[in-house]
Amino acid sequence: MTVEANGLNVIEDAERKGRPAQLFWPWFGSNVSVLGLSYGSFALGFGIDFWQALAAGVAGIVFSFLLCGFIAVAGKRGSAPTMVLSRAAFGVRGNRLPSAVSWVLTVGWETVLVILATLATSTVFDRLGWGGGTSTKIAALVVVSALTVLTGVVGFDLIMRMQSAITVVTAALTVVYIALVAGEIRWETAGSLPAGSAQEVVGALVFLMTGFGLGWVNAAADYARYLPRRTRGAAVAGWTTFGASLAPLVLLVFGLLLAGSSPRLSEAIAADPVGALTTLLPTWFLVPFALVAVLGLVGGAVLDIYSSGLALLALGVRVPRYAAAALDGLLMILGTVYVVFFSEDFLGSFMGFLTTLGVPVAAWCGIMLADVALRSRPYDDADLFSPSGRYGDVRWLPAAVLCAATAAGWGLVTNTAAGWLSWQGYLLGPLGLGGTSGAWASANLGVLAALVSAFAVTLVCHRARVKEQEAAPPSPSGPHGNARTAEDGAPGSAPTSA
C-alpha cells in the first residue's frame, strides 16, 4: 500500500522489472467481466445470425486487441505512458489534442463500468428480496467507487496484484455461472436466427472492435512501460493480445447462445446488461454472481482510472498522478449518479458514446501504429518532454490527419438510438451509400475509415520525419535517462508511504 509517485516520467532502469507474460494478468483481469456475455445480445441486435455474429466477434475482438499489443511495444521501448509516447508523432504540446480525447474516453469507460456494477448489485438484491431500490444503489455505488478510486490512486503495483486476484476469482465463478445456465441454451432457436446483410455484419464487427480493443488502445503502453527495454517486442504484443482476447472470446460465444435462445433475455440485457443475466440463476448463486460481476467490472474500471489520470497529466494539468486519478474518480461518481438515478436509456447512450469517441480514437490509433512501425530505435527520453527537442512542439500534419479522419469518420456513422447524435452520417448520402436510413447506415464505416486512412497517410507522409528524428544525436539525458519536467505531474520517482 504505497502510493506510486511516477507520473508522466520515463521509468528509471532500477524500477523496470518483470516479464512479458505478466502482462496476461492485468489484461485478462480487466476483460473477464460477465459484461462480455451481454455483447452476444448486442451483436445479435444488428439483425444477424449466430454464425455471422461469431465471425464478427472473433475478428473484431482479436484484431482490436492486436492493435493494443502493437502499441504496448512502444511502452517497452520508451518506458513512458501511452499519451507521452504519442508526443513523438504529435509534438510535445500538439499531443494535448489526442490526450483530451483519450481522457474523455477513459473517464467515460470507467463510468460505464461502475454504472453496470451498481445496476447489477441492485438487481441481485432485488431478486434476493433484500431491496434493490435507491438505498441499495447508493451503497453499491459507494463500495464500487471506493475500490476503483483507491486502487487507481495507489497505482501500478497494487493494480498488478489486484488484477491477479480478480483473474482467479472471477474466472472460477464465471465457469460456475456458465455451467449453471448452460441448460437455458436452445440451439434450435439460436441456430435458426435469420441471416443479416453484409452491412449489418460490418456494423456488428465495428461495434465489437470499439467495445473491446479500441476502447483500450490509448492506454495499451501504460502497463508495458515497467518492462526492461531488452524485452522482446513480439512477446509484449503477444501476451497483451492473448490476455485481453481470451476471456471475451469465450464469453461472447456463450452470450450469443444465451441471447439467441431467448428474445426476452436480449431485451432485458438492453436495459441492464449485467443484472439481466441473474434471471437465469438459482437463488443460492446470486451472491457469488454479484461478486463476480462487481469484481470483473472493477477490474476494468481500475485500469481506466489509472490511465485517465495519466491522460489528464498529458493534457498539461500539473498535479501529482494520484491527485489526477482522484479527480477522475469524482467525475466518474457524478456520471454514475446521473445515469443510475436520472437516465432511462442506458444502451442507446452507451452505443452512441462508443461509436462517437471510437472514430477519433481509431484515427489516433492509426497514426500511432504507423509511427511505431516506422521507428527502429528507442525514444529519446528527454526530448519527449522538450518542445525544442527532436519531436517538436506542435506537429501540424498528424494533427490535421487526426481532425480530417475524425470529420470523415463521423460522416460515415449513425447513432439512431441517441437523438443528440443525429447530426452524424452526413457523408452517407453524398457518397451514394443510401443516406442515414440506407443499408450502410448501421455499418459504422467511419471507425474503419478513420483507422485505415490515418494509418496510410501517416505511414507515407511521416517516414522522412521519423528518419530525421532517429538520425539526431542523443540529448544530454537520453536516450535512456529519466528526464522530468513540471509537466510530469509527479513530485518524484520513488513511491511514497500511503
Side-chain angles (χ1 to χ4, degrees):
M1 291 296 295
T2 56
V3 176
E4 178 195 4
N6 285 319
L8 300 187
N9 56 289
V10 174
I11 303 302
E12 294 180 349
D13 287 336
E15 292 187 71
R16 295 177 192 145
K17 56 193 175 183
R19 297 173 290 107
Q22 291 174 299
L23 292 173
F24 175 87
W25 300 108
W27 286 108
F28 186 90
S30 60
N31 288 284
V32 73
S33 165
V34 291
L35 177 61
L37 294 168
S38 298
Y39 272 93
S41 173
F42 299 159
L44 293 177
F46 281 85
I48 56 181
D49 66 19
F50 173 83
W51 296 109
Q52 290 174 320
L54 179 61
V58 172
I61 291 171
V62 175
F63 176 69
S64 63
F65 279 124
L66 185 60
L67 301 181
C68 292
F70 291 149
I71 291 178
V73 174
K76 181 270 300 187
R77 288 181 182 175
S79 299
T82 313
M83 299 316 297
V84 170
L85 301 173
S86 179
R87 292 174 175 177
F90 288 88
V92 174
R93 288 194 296 176
N95 190 60
R96 290 179 181 178
L97 173 61
S99 294
V101 175
S102 175
W103 179 70
V104 173
L105 180 67
T106 47
V107 170
W109 259 115
E110 69 201 44
T111 303
V112 165
L113 295 174
V114 172
I115 289 167
L116 292 173
T118 302
L119 293 176
T121 304
S122 174
T123 302
V124 168
F125 273 55
D126 185 55
R127 278 206 61 198
L128 287 170
W130 298 347
T134 301
S135 59
T136 299
K137 292 177 181 177
I138 292 174
L141 173 59
V142 170
V143 173
V144 172
S145 299
L147 279 173
T148 302
V149 175
L150 173 64
T151 309
V153 165
V154 173
F156 181 83
D157 285 334
L158 180 58
I159 289 174
M160 296 296 284
R161 289 178 179 271
M162 180 178 177
Q163 295 295 70
S164 299
I166 286 177
T167 295
V168 174
V169 174
T170 307
L173 291 177
T174 300
V175 170
V176 176
Y177 175 88
I178 291 174
L180 288 174
V181 303
E184 301 292 331
I185 293 175
R186 301 290 181 268
W187 171 246
E188 63 277 7
T189 302
S192 62
L193 294 172
S197 65
Q199 294 93 330
E200 290 166 334
V201 174
V202 172
L205 169 68
V206 174
F207 177 75
L208 291 166
M209 285 179 57
T210 55
F212 286 102
L214 280 180
W216 290 109
V217 288
N218 56 312
D222 294 353
Y223 307 96
R225 66 187 177 126
Y226 275 90
L227 291 173
R229 291 188 196 255
R230 65 179 182 275
T231 306
R232 290 194 310 118
V236 172
W239 279 107
T240 298
T241 305
F242 176 62
S245 300
L246 180 59
L249 286 172
V250 174
L251 293 171
L252 177 73
V253 172
F254 198 75
L256 287 171
L257 292 170
L258 284 177
S261 300
S262 173
R264 180 180 297 179
L265 177 63
S266 284
E267 293 177 8
I269 287 174
D272 186 358
V274 176
L277 299 172
T278 65
T279 59
L280 307 177
L281 288 171
T283 303
W284 66 267
F285 192 69
L286 289 177
V287 172
F289 177 83
L291 179 64
V292 68
V294 169
L295 284 179
L297 294 166
V298 166
V302 163
L303 263 64
D304 277 316
I305 197 171
Y306 181 77
S307 293
S308 70
L310 294 175
L312 185 60
L313 298 182
L315 268 170
V317 177
R318 299 187 178 185
V319 296
R321 182 207 58 79
Y322 49 83
L327 176 60
D328 289 346
L330 176 61
L331 295 176
M332 173 193 76
I333 293 170
L334 294 175
T336 302
V337 168
Y338 170 75
V339 173
V340 170
F341 298 103
F342 301 102
S343 177
E344 297 180 356
D345 180 18
F346 174 79
L347 184 59
S349 301
F350 177 54
M351 294 182 71
F353 164 76
L354 282 183
T355 306
T356 300
L357 282 184
V359 172
V361 169
W364 171 86
C365 182
I367 295 169
M368 186 68 178
L369 287 171
D371 184 78
V372 171
L374 290 171
R375 297 186 185 278
S376 58
R377 298 181 180 180
Y379 297 90
D380 187 285
D381 297 350
D383 283 354
L384 286 171
F385 300 89
S386 173
S388 60
R390 73 189 66 206
Y391 304 120
D393 187 10
V394 178
R395 295 294 186 191
W396 293 107
L397 176 63
V401 171
L402 177 64
C403 293
T406 299
W410 278 340
L412 293 172
V413 299
T414 58
N415 281 289
T416 56
W420 56 282
L421 296 172
S422 59
W423 54 270
Q424 296 177 351
Y426 45 79
L427 293 179
L428 291 170
L431 294 180
L433 297 174
T436 55
S437 59
W440 287 100
S442 62
N444 290 325
L445 289 175
V447 175
L448 292 177
L451 175 67
V452 174
S453 63
F455 177 81
V457 172
T458 305
L459 194 67
V460 172
C461 300
H462 196 55
R463 186 180 301 272
R465 175 64 66 182
V466 171
K467 287 185 178 180
E468 178 185 331
Q469 291 173 354
E470 296 198 327
S475 59
S477 57
H480 304 309
N482 190 7
R484 303 183 60 83
T485 72
E487 283 193 282
D488 289 354
S493 58
T496 57
S497 177

